[in-house]
Each structure stands twice: as structure tokens, then as C-alpha cells.
């Protein structure tokens, strides 16, 4: 199933219609920051209704840029997987609707997850999101696992190694060294213990890989 | 010494905080523009532009205000910004940050795209608090995701856009074995950079078509 997802606010009907005309899709999802009714939404609903379909409206987090990126990533990630059929859905994302911050957040989410994305405003422009260039593709399973364990926390080295079981201590330490070398992990000594934490980039990788699981 | 890039709309306050928070700013390069049919918008942007230039003059920061001919032309703006970033990079300059908070919606998104593709640290400014929000995306130079051979194939396809080129013809053009080219084409299809379409005259053959998005991926100067 192909799902066309578009960022949306009142007045964006022409942008969505352009995407609907040019991009093949089975289902339409509009991402909004708050529930609303208006002529633009009614127009799209009416057109979708003529083909026997409904419009799926999903509200995303509006409080801050990164929370919005995470919220859009979450929606895209959920839409990428059909729970009933147990199969993957193809997602086409139009970032031209909604507020400026929402469009930018959607653009970032598309690159984060490797989602096919477009800017549809008078002309349709496909964005150069390369598949195979996401965080998920750049790191090994062990590296991803370790970053997932740390996430936003600071943990003692011993505890991290323990959490990495059944992988042995040597492989956990090697993974820690690899991530430190890439600037994704930091360490400091406190009360005779080594504490590990992810850098800002490391946290982004942890978030991105978490959202990428289903894409 | 560092260069700050930014987009500007009506509010200098969405750009100036980045000059204050960045160490050793040598120069500000910012992009602005308004719908020329809207007099009020044109005036507001001109006023904001002047305020930013005045601030830079007082602070001894060199400034380059770039007036975009069409701030709603997403592709045009992105290519322009990308070319400028590359020019400064080639000169060995450090681009400290790109503030994408101001300007039209397509200008801001186009700037973000250029930053993602060039691996430039990017900043947003909160609408109300004017707090800076760094965007923690991975610094991947996306064109580096492609191998040298893949880039060479894309270069030939870009130069021959509109022509119906099969894999065999492509192999002859780049002087590589067709099996080698087939391998690279498979990778490029998987990455979403090219697609295989039926040949318009011979349905048994497939032609290799480059995706339009590769223009944005490479920029104008590659």
C-alpha cells in the first residue's frame, strides 16, 4: 500500500491536490498541529470521498522544533508498517504544507528515516533523500543497541557492559571505543567510576534508529 | 574566523541572536526576498535587511545580503545556497552555523536541505523566546554516500537527460563492462537515484533514467 502523507494547515489544499495529482497513492494522511475544520480540509475530504476514501488526519506535537521532528518521525514510522498484513507500506511525503517549522521538521524526519519526499507547490520537486543513507544504515547492530541502552541517560561503564549481554565484555568495550571515536559517546570519571553518556549527535542517532525500526 | 549563514524574513531578531552566540564571526551571509507583487512584504523585508546590515556594520562584521529573485522557488533557492556554501568551503572558510529561522517557507526548507546535503550545522530560533535551537542531524555529506563509479554514471546520465540510454549503451559510454554497470545501476536504483523504464520503441529493453532529485543532490557545480 502506498500512503501519501502531507503536512497541512488551512489554505494548503492546492499543494495537497498537486501532490495527489502527481504522486500515486492508495491512502491519504494529513499531518496537522491541531484539530481544525475548514474549507481547505473539506475540499480534500470531498474529493477523496468521491473515490470512496476518507482522509486520515493525524495531530503532531507542536511544542518545539525537535519534538515536532520526533512526532512526525513517529507517525511516519507507524505508517510505514501495516500491522494487519505484517508488511511494509510505501510512504510518499509532501513537506510543502503546514507552517514553516512543520515543513522543516518533516524534511528533517524524511532524511532521518530515508522516506521518499517531495515539495509540491506549483511544481512537484522530488527531494534527494537517498535510501541507504540513514542512521540505521550507518551503524552496526551492536552500536545501535548500545546507543539505545544509553539513550538520554548517563550510566556507569559496568552497567552498560552488563546491559550488553549476551555480548561479552570485549565486544561491548570495542563498541564503546568505536562510538567514542566517532564523537557519539562521551565518558567522565566520578567517584572512581567511569560514566558514559551520548553526545548530542549520539542522541540523535539513538532517536533516529529507534524511529527507523519500521521504515 | 567563521562565517554565519542565515535566512531573513521580516524579523531581524530571528537572525541576530546567532551572531551574538557564535564565536569569532567574520562574515554574515544572508538570504532574503519577498513576493514582489506584495508591497507591504517587500517593504518589511527591506527594513529587516537594513537593520541586520546596520547591526553588522556597528559590530564590524562583514555582511553579504543576497536578494533572492524568487524566494518561493524551492529548487532555485536550494541550488543557489548550496553553490554559495561550496564556494566558501573551497576558499577554506569555516561555516559555523546556518540559521534557517527566517524567510519564506520554501526559502527556509531549501536552506535546510542545503545544510543536510553539505553537512552544515543548522540552527532554528524559537518564534517567541528567540532561543536558539540547534538541529542535531547527522553530518553526512550525502553525495559521499555514492561511490566514484556511481557518480560517474550519474554524471553521464545528467549530461544525456532525455535520451533513451540502455545499460549496454551506458557501459559503452563510460567504457566499463556491462556486468559492472549493471551492478552499479542496481545499487543506484536501490538508493533511489535512478529508475529503469521500458524503452519507448522496444519493450524488451529498459532505459536508465536519472531521478530529477539528483540535481538537488549534486548541485549546479558538479
Amino acid at each position: 500500500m502506498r500512503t501519501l502523507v502531507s503536512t497541512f494547515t488551512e489554505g494548503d489544499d492546492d499543494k495537497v491536490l498537486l501532490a495527489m495529482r502527481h504522486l500515486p497513492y492508495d491512502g491519504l494522511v494529513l499531518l496537522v498541529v491541531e484539530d481544525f475544520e475548514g474549507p481547505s480540509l473539506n475540499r480534500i475530504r470531498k474529493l477523496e470521498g468521491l473515490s470512496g476514501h476518507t482522509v486520515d488526519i493525524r495531530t503532531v506535537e507542536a511544542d518545539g522544533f525537535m519534538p515536532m521532528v520526533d512526532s512526525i518521525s513517529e507517525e511516519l514510522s507507524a505508517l510505514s508498517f501495516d500491522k494487519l498484513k505484517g508488511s511494509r507500506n510505501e510512504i510518499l511525503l509532501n513537506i510543502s504544507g503546514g507552517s514553516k517549522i512543520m515543513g522543516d521538521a518533516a524534511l528533517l524526519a524524511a532524511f532521518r528515516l530515508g522516506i521518499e519526499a517531495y515539495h509540491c507547490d506549483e511544481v512537484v520537486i522530488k527531494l534527494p533523500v537517498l535510501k541507504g543513507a540513514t542512521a540505521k544504515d550507518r551503524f552496526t547492530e551492536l552500536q545501535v543497541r548500545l546507543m539505545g541502552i544509553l539513550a538520554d541517560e548517563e550510566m556507569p561503564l559496568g552497567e552498560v557492559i552488563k546491559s550488553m549481554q549476551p555480548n561479552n565484555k570485549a565486544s561491548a568495550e570495542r563498541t564503546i571505543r568505536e562510538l567514542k571515536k566517532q564523537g557519539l559517546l562521551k565518558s567522565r570519571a566520578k567517584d572512581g567510576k567511569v560514566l558514559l553518556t551520548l553526545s548530542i549527535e549520539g542522541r540523535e542517532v539513538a532517536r533516529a534508529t529507534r524511529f527507523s525500526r519500521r521504515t | 574566523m567563521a562565517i554565519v549563514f542565515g535566512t531573513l524574513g521580516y524579523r531581524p531578531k530571528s537572525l541576530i541572536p546567532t551572531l551574538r552566540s557564535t564565536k569569532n564571526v567574520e562574515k554574515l551571509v544572508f538570504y532574503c526576498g519577498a513576493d514582489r507583487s506584495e508591497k507591504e512584504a517587500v517593504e518589511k523585508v527591506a527594513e529587516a535587511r537594513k537593520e541586520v546590515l546596520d547591526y553588522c556594520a556597528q559590530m564590524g562584521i562583514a555582511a553579504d545580503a543576497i536578494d533572492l529573485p524568487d524566494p518561493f522557488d524551492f529548487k532555485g533557492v536550494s541550488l543557489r545556497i548550496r553553490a554559495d556554501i561550496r564556494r566558501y568551503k573551497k576558499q577554506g572558510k569555516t561555516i559555523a552555523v546556518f540559521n534557517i529561522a527566517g524567510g519564506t517557507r520554501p526559502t527556509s526548507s531549501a536552506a535546510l536541505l542545503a545544510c543536510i546535503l553539505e553537512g552544515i550545522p543548522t540552527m532554528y530560533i524559537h518564534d517567541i523566546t528567540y532561543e536558539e535551537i540547534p538541529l542535531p542531524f547527522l553530518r553526512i555529506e550525502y553525495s559521499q554516500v555514492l561511490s566514484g563509479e556511481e557518480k560517474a554514471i550519474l554524471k553521464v546520465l545528467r549530461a544525456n537527460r532525455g535520451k533513451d540510454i540502455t545499460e549496454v549503451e551506458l557501459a559503452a559510454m563510460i567504457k566499463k563492462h556491462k556486468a559492472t554497470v549493471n551492478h552499479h545501476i542496481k545499487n543506484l536504483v536501490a538508493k533511489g537515484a535512478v529508475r529503469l523504464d521500458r524503452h519507448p520503441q522496444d519493450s524488451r529493453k529498459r532505459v536508465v533514467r536519472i531521478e530529477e532529485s539528483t540535481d538537488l543532490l549534486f548541485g549546479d557545480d558538479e
Side-chain angles (χ1 to χ4, degrees), chain A residues 1-20:
Chain A
M1 181 170 155
R2 279 173 302 199
T3 307
L4 173 60
V5 183
S6 182
T7 47
F8 186 77
T9 192
E10 183 56 37
D12 286 335
D13 43 341
D14 284 339
K15 293 173 187 172
V16 177
L17 292 186
L18 183 66
M20 287 160 67

Side-chain angles (χ1 to χ4, degrees), chain A residues 65-66 95-101 103-104 107-108 111 119 126-128 130-131 133 135 138 200-201 204-205, chain B residues 74-75 100-103 105 108-109 112-113 116 124 135-140 142 145 190-191 211 213 216-217:
Chain A
F65 188 82
M66 284 316 292
I95 65 148
S96 65
S99 63
K100 183 159 67 181
I101 188 170
D104 287 348
L107 173 60
L108 206 49
F111 273 89
H119 187 275
K126 188 177 180 188
L127 303 181
L130 279 186
K131 290 166 194 162
R138 289 182 64 208
I200 292 172
E201 273 204 355
E204 166 56 13
V205 176
Chain B
F74 177 84
K75 189 173 178 179
I100 60 161
R105 214 185 158 294
S108 173
S109 294
L112 176 57
L113 178 64
I116 291 172
Y124 220 91
L135 308 191
F137 55 73
L138 295 171
R139 288 173 199 169
I140 300 172
Y142 279 81
V145 173
K191 286 174 181 172
E211 293 284 359
S213 56
L216 282 168
L217 182 69

Side-chain angles (χ1 to χ4, degrees), chain A residues 15-49:
Chain A
K15 293 173 187 172
V16 177
L17 292 186
L18 183 66
M20 287 160 67
R21 264 203 311 278
H22 286 271
L23 308 174
Y25 70 99
D26 302 300
L28 177 65
V29 176
L30 298 180
L31 301 179
V32 298
V33 290
E34 56 187 357
D35 281 334
F36 70 93
E37 293 296 326
S40 301
L41 183 55
N42 290 340
R43 186 179 174 206
I44 292 168
R45 273 203 179 116
K46 195 176 166 188
L47 287 166
E48 279 296 279

